[in-house]
Amino acid sequence: MPGEINAVKKKLVEIFSHEFWFLVPEYQRPYVWQDENIVELIDDLYYAFTNKQDSEYFLGSLVLKKTETKDYPEYEVLDGQQRLTTFFLMFAVLRDLIAETEYKDTLQELIYQKENKLKKIPSRKRMVFKIRDDVEKFIEEYIIKIGGTKEKEKLEEYRKSENPSISNMASAVLLMNELFQEKTKIEEFVEFILNKALFISVSTDNTEDAFRLFTILNDRGIPLTNADILKSKNIGAISDENEVRKYAREWEELEEYFGEKFDRFLAFIRTIFVKEKARANLLNEFENNIYGKGKLKLGKETIDLLKTYQNIYEKIIELSEDSLPNDYKNLITIMKIGLPSDDWVPPLLYFYYKYHPTDKLLEFLRKLEYKFAGDWICQKTPTERIEAVNKILREIEDTEKEEIDKLLNSSVFLIDAEELQRNLNDENFYRKPYCKYVLLKIEYLFNDQTAHLSSYKKISVEHVLPQNPKPDSKWVQIFSLEERQKWTNRLANLVLIGKMKNSQLSNLDFQEKKERYLRGRVDAFKASKIFIENTEDWTPELLEKRQKYLINMLVQNKFLKNVEGGTPVRIITELPRPYKRIEWNDPINITKDQWKKALLNSNITTTKDLALLLMIYTKPFQCETASNLADEIGKNYQYLNSIASRLGKRIAEHFGIEVPKEKNKPNNYNYWHIPFLGAKHKKEKINFSGS
């Protein structure tokens, strides 16, 4: 039966009086206010105290549920805990800062009722944090105890606590001490906030109404997350009081483990159950597509499942499982560092959940990584990559353990090998978003897996052949301009270093670079260092071999013998030819003077046209493909092709210029050739080159 809901306006002095005693229940989140929240609240209060002393100051709402078993007015705090706890701490800090006895005694009474045996009055704290024993101990020692907030050294230690409530409470007390010591008229300020600062107290004695209120009202400072509301629903679905405490503690442990990533973890679980791209927010997805379809029950079943998956996550994603082989750990490490998202996590969790124990975990991970990374390199859209992950999840769901080999050989892991080869062989590979990850993958394939790779904090991509060699360097003697254009930004010329790029190192000749790599003055990755150590000269011929070798290895997804050490197994007989830099080089009958007029005429050259032209002419050799430019600005290549073509058409019409025609389609005009030289190939490829 619905109960009565009461909403009343209460002064702060009434909230912290005999009318209210507060219990922070198990399902509430920890105290999470940070420095910026504290500073903002005190600044706002002091501004109101200084400028609007006669006005009321609204603090927000408190959503409360009256407890049933106490002979005094005790309320569970469903919403408003963060702000209420902050004032609880603030009164203790002000008590210890103010010298006036009357103020000190009043502030102490607000947070603590002292025992009086003659009057049969028991000792009682204004706020009790249920099941958080360590928090209660901290409050006894540093909040209730007079002078406790002055224990700066001890509070600094508690600031490092792994318990987020204690850590944040200690930080809040230390900060409030600093802030109030800088303020004046503290006694008058206390009078103001006690009598002018107001809460709207919304209370009920009915559990159903209480949880409904909890899910629709937010604390003014920290909005409820999806996880908060799911927590209230699941704890609210448990009827036994002892089990409420047990499962509330377990949920809190989940929150503490994942921290800010808890919603993301819940999204993984959603994906495992739904196996489709999310079409609504996380809460609605759980309500409509999981609970609403009977896939999981609210309450104990949900929390037990979350704990199970947390245990799996800790073992195989955070790598706490000692029995995992190093090649598994190393592959996970580079995936976490270099892949564009963690959408690959749900299939791995689900595979372990369904098939453990199995010796196929590493094989599955290799297949999963190859598919996810391969689709990325093949420039599949995020939506396409998510759908590929969901297909793998559905395949796991349909495959029994005894048929696990069938799963591992399923077509869901296939990628477009030809497109993969082509994109790995791109002349502008250095500027691709997946460049660093591919180099990490090479490092993984070269690794002998006798040790777990470090999780490098700083990784840079270094050109061996510099991007801008000095005119008198050996690089210019060894590589022609055309060869530098061909090789500078391609995969074979790139290595990883474990620090930020060094511009002075970049332009050194090869022998000097080699010496710095090998002597450890530059933290080159092992695979690159070994190759450089066994290389006397960095030449176009060597890069040709190295390019084929690296692409061959990446496509086969396994280590091959050194490019010079034996004959590796090969599946690529010839690499896809790089796109020619210039194919249409028909002369355009346009003078320099006409070009100036065209650029200055806003009816011919728009702002978008100028932006495209500037992009091209700031590139090395004044060349770039439409696809690469589109990647940089987050647009589709067709958008840039269209800009170039329309610009060419306006120039042709204005000056009466003859437009080149496509060689195999004489009725088609290459308008884009007027502002740019270039080549047009299958699919989207147009190389823009300054004409």
Side-chain angles (χ1 to χ4, degrees):
M1 291 287 294
E4 183 180 356
I5 297 176
N6 298 308
V8 292
K9 183 168 69 173
K10 290 287 183 181
K11 298 176 183 178
L12 202 54
V13 71
E14 295 173 309
I15 291 293
F16 284 82
S17 74
H18 64 278
E19 294 182 45
F20 295 94
W21 301 89
F22 300 108
L23 177 69
V24 179
E26 299 91 336
Y27 47 80
Q28 272 285 11
R29 58 174 171 248
Y31 180 66
V32 297
W33 265 31
Q34 302 297 306
D35 287 0
E36 57 265 28
N37 304 110
I38 305 291
V39 170
E40 183 180 9
L41 175 64
I42 292 176
D43 282 352
D44 287 350
L45 287 170
Y46 250 92
Y47 178 84
F49 162 61
T50 305
N51 298 284
K52 301 178 181 180
Q53 283 199 22
D54 295 329
S55 301
E56 294 178 336
Y57 184 90
F58 179 57
L59 293 168
S61 59
L62 291 175
V63 182
L64 309 172
K65 173 185 175 291
K66 196 172 188 311
T67 60
E68 300 174 357
T69 57
K70 300 294 171 60
D71 56 359
Y72 56 92
E74 183 184 60
Y75 295 87
E76 289 187 4
V77 182
L78 304 185
D79 194 50
Q81 178 223 154
Q82 305 297 321
R83 194 164 292 255
L84 194 65
T85 303
T86 301
F87 279 108
F88 183 67
L89 303 176
M90 187 188 296
F91 292 153
V93 171
L94 290 167
R95 173 202 64 202
D96 292 342
L97 284 174
I98 294 174
E100 176 63 43
T101 303
E102 181 182 358
Y103 283 85
K104 292 178 78 74
D105 291 346
T106 299
L107 288 164
Q108 179 69 358
E109 289 171 5
L110 296 178
I111 63 175
Y112 180 69
Q113 176 179 280
K114 186 178 179 180
E115 181 183 21
N116 187 317
K117 293 181 179 179
L118 293 177
K119 295 181 179 180
K120 302 296 182 182
I121 297 174
S123 63
R124 185 178 297 142
K125 295 188 291 290
R126 184 71 56 199
M127 293 187 73
V128 174
F129 294 81
K130 202 169 182 181
I131 80 166
R132 298 184 176 98
D133 298 334
D134 292 339
V135 175
E136 287 294 295
K137 181 181 177 183
F138 174 84
I139 287 171
E140 292 278 357
E141 289 292 319
Y142 300 99
I143 306 303
I144 301 303
K145 181 180 176 182
I146 296 175
T149 67
K150 292 288 190 180
E151 300 281 353
K152 185 175 180 180
E153 290 185 5
K154 292 180 180 178
L155 287 167
E156 287 286 1
E157 286 299 313
Y158 274 108
R159 185 184 246 167
K160 303 172 188 175
S161 171
E162 293 182 1
N163 184 310
S165 288
I166 293 175
S167 173
N168 291 323
M169 285 182 182
S171 293
V173 169
L174 289 165
L175 178 61
M176 284 191 276
N177 259 306
E178 292 177 16
L179 294 174
F180 283 123
Q181 285 177 24
E182 298 171 356
K183 303 292 185 184
T184 59
K185 300 181 179 180
I186 296 181
E187 290 86 353
E188 291 94 326
F189 172 74
V190 170
E191 291 180 34
F192 171 76
I193 61 173
L194 288 180
N195 294 285
K196 292 296 184 180
L198 309 172
F199 274 109
I200 300 297
S201 169
V202 183
S203 61
T204 179
D205 57 3
N206 179 273
T207 300
E208 182 181 344
D209 286 336
F211 278 102
R212 181 165 54 85
L213 284 169
F214 179 77
T215 60
I216 61 175
L217 288 175
N218 289 352
D219 177 47
R220 185 168 174 251
I222 305 290
L224 291 174
T225 65
N226 290 308
D228 293 325
I229 299 173
L230 280 172
K231 175 183 183 179
S232 74
K233 288 180 175 293
N234 279 284
I235 299 299
I238 302 171
S239 55
D240 183 87
E241 185 67 23
N242 291 326
E243 289 192 326
V244 165
R245 280 194 287 270
K246 171 179 178 281
Y247 281 97
R249 183 184 293 274
E250 289 187 357
W251 190 286
E252 188 170 306
E253 288 170 354
L254 286 165
E255 290 178 321
E256 290 178 4
Y257 178 82
F258 287 104
E260 294 180 355
K261 297 180 180 179
F262 189 36
D263 270 22
R264 185 58 180 154
F265 171 73
L266 292 172
F268 293 155
I269 305 305
R270 184 220 72 87
T271 300
I272 290 169
F273 274 90
V274 180
K275 302 175 184 67
E276 293 178 359
K277 184 179 179 180
R279 304 296 178 185
N281 65 45
L282 185 61
L283 179 63
N284 288 339
E285 286 282 325
F286 265 85
E287 288 182 333
N288 299 330
N289 294 325
I290 296 178
Y291 298 133
K293 294 184 178 180
K295 296 179 179 180
L296 188 65
K297 291 180 180 178
L298 277 165
K300 294 186 290 183
E301 185 176 310
T302 291
I303 300 172
D304 285 340
L305 183 89
L306 294 180
K307 289 293 288 185
T308 298
Y309 270 109
Q310 182 226 345
N311 185 45
I312 295 171
Y313 184 94
E314 188 172 6
K315 286 180 178 179
I316 68 171
I317 306 297
E318 294 301 325
L319 307 177
S320 69
E321 179 61 66
D322 292 335
S323 63
L324 292 172
N326 283 326
D327 42 0
Y328 177 94
K329 293 180 180 179
N330 290 337
L331 189 51
I332 286 287
T333 298
I334 69 164
M335 290 169 73
K336 288 165 72 174
I337 293 172
L339 286 176
S341 74
D342 53 8
D343 291 327
W344 51 270
V345 170
L348 194 57
L349 296 177
Y350 190 33
F351 181 90
Y352 188 96
Y353 176 83
K354 182 166 183 178
Y355 300 127
H356 183 74
T358 176
D359 59 358
K360 303 289 187 179
L361 182 64
L362 175 59
E363 185 178 351
F364 176 78
L365 178 64
R366 285 174 174 159
K367 298 266 188 180
L368 178 65
E369 182 276 337
Y370 188 66
K371 172 62 177 174
F372 193 84
D375 281 351
W376 180 34
I377 297 167
C378 289
Q379 301 182 38
K380 300 287 188 183
T381 67
T383 297
E384 288 173 322
R385 296 200 299 268
I386 290 171
E387 177 53 27
V389 164
N390 288 327
K391 284 182 179 179
I392 295 171
L393 285 166
R394 291 193 287 269
E395 195 73 14
I396 294 172
E397 183 177 44
D398 294 340
T399 305
E400 297 303 320
K401 187 171 184 178
E402 55 270 18
E403 297 179 312
I404 199 168
D405 288 333
K406 177 184 173 184
L407 165 68
L408 295 171
N409 292 303
S410 169
S411 61
V412 295
F413 296 107
L414 293 179
I415 66 170
D416 186 339
E418 182 181 348
E419 186 69 13
L420 177 64
Q421 293 175 37
R422 181 180 295 108
N423 291 342
L424 290 171
N425 196 41
D426 195 291
E427 282 192 20
N428 208 21
F429 186 78
Y430 171 68
R431 301 190 185 281
K432 297 298 183 182
Y434 42 77
C435 171
K436 190 178 294 184
Y437 181 75
V438 170
L439 293 171
L440 279 168
K441 181 65 179 295
I442 290 170
E443 181 70 21
Y444 168 78
L445 292 172
F446 266 94
N447 194 281
D448 60 10
Q449 314 302 343
T450 58
H452 182 193
L453 289 171
S454 299
S455 181
Y456 287 85
K457 294 181 179 179
K458 293 181 179 179
I459 302 174
S460 292
V461 178
E462 175 76 10
H463 292 78
V464 180
L465 164 64
Q467 296 181 82
N468 299 295
K470 295 179 180 179
D472 59 349
S473 69
K474 291 183 179 179
W475 293 116
V476 176
Q477 298 172 25
I478 297 171
F479 289 84
S480 67
L481 176 60
E482 185 179 352
E483 287 170 333
R484 294 206 307 275
Q485 292 175 353
K486 176 180 178 180
W487 287 111
T488 299
N489 288 327
R490 290 177 80 182
L491 175 61
N493 188 51
L494 306 174
V495 296
L496 286 180
I497 57 175
K499 60 186 292 185
M500 296 306 289
K501 293 189 72 168
N502 185 331
S503 57
Q504 293 180 340
L505 170 71
S506 296
N507 289 324
L508 293 178
D509 287 328
F510 179 66
Q511 291 302 327
E512 294 177 88
K513 264 189 183 181
K514 177 178 176 178
E515 182 179 353
R516 297 202 183 192
Y517 286 140
L518 300 183
R519 289 190 178 183
R521 293 171 68 183
V522 176
D523 186 15
F525 277 57
K526 183 178 178 181
S528 301
K529 188 177 287 188
I530 290 173
F531 186 83
I532 290 169
E533 183 177 13
N534 292 288
T535 302
E536 291 301 319
D537 293 300
W538 204 258
T539 65
E541 294 75 23
L542 178 136
L543 287 172
E544 189 76 49
K545 292 179 181 178
R546 177 170 162 81
Q547 183 82 354
K548 292 179 181 179
Y549 169 63
L550 292 178
I551 294 178
N552 198 7
M553 186 167 63
L554 288 163
V555 171
Q556 293 190 61
N557 199 28
K558 66 180 181 181
F559 172 73
L560 303 175
K561 290 184 180 180
N562 193 291
V563 65
E564 296 293 350
T567 304
V569 178
R570 305 189 63 167
I571 61 169
I572 307 173
T573 56
E574 183 179 355
L575 290 175
R577 290 192 307 147
Y579 299 111
K580 295 177 183 177
R581 186 156 300 279
I582 297 174
E583 183 171 303
W584 277 273
N585 54 6
D586 309 276
I588 302 297
N589 186 24
I590 184 170
T591 66
K592 183 180 289 188
D593 185 60
Q594 286 175 318
W595 255 115
K596 287 182 180 178
K597 290 179 180 178
L599 292 173
L600 292 171
N601 188 336
S602 60
N603 291 322
I604 298 174
T605 307
T606 67
T607 303
K608 289 181 180 178
D609 300 327
L610 286 173
L612 176 58
L613 290 165
L614 286 171
M615 287 174 68
I616 302 299
Y617 282 94
T618 56
K619 296 296 180 184
F621 315 115
Q622 293 79 54
C623 313
E624 191 55 282
T625 66
S627 294
N628 290 341
L629 291 174
D631 285 345
E632 287 187 27
I633 64 173
K635 297 284 188 180
N636 189 286
Y637 65 86
Q638 293 170 333
Y639 169 81
L640 295 180
N641 291 348
S642 176
I643 291 176
S645 294
R646 289 200 302 270
L647 172 60
K649 188 172 185 179
R650 287 193 295 271
I651 292 172
E653 291 174 349
H654 186 83
F655 294 111
I657 293 169
E658 184 178 353
V659 183
K661 297 180 179 180
E662 291 194 16
K663 294 175 182 178
N664 298 324
K665 297 179 180 179
N667 293 324
N668 290 358
Y669 292 95
N670 289 325
Y671 284 106
W672 53 265
H673 177 50
I674 293 175
F676 300 109
L677 301 175
K680 184 176 180 182
H681 293 265
K682 73 174 186 177
K683 294 189 176 179
E684 78 283 8
K685 304 294 184 179
I686 291 180
N687 282 11
F688 291 136
S689 180
S691 57

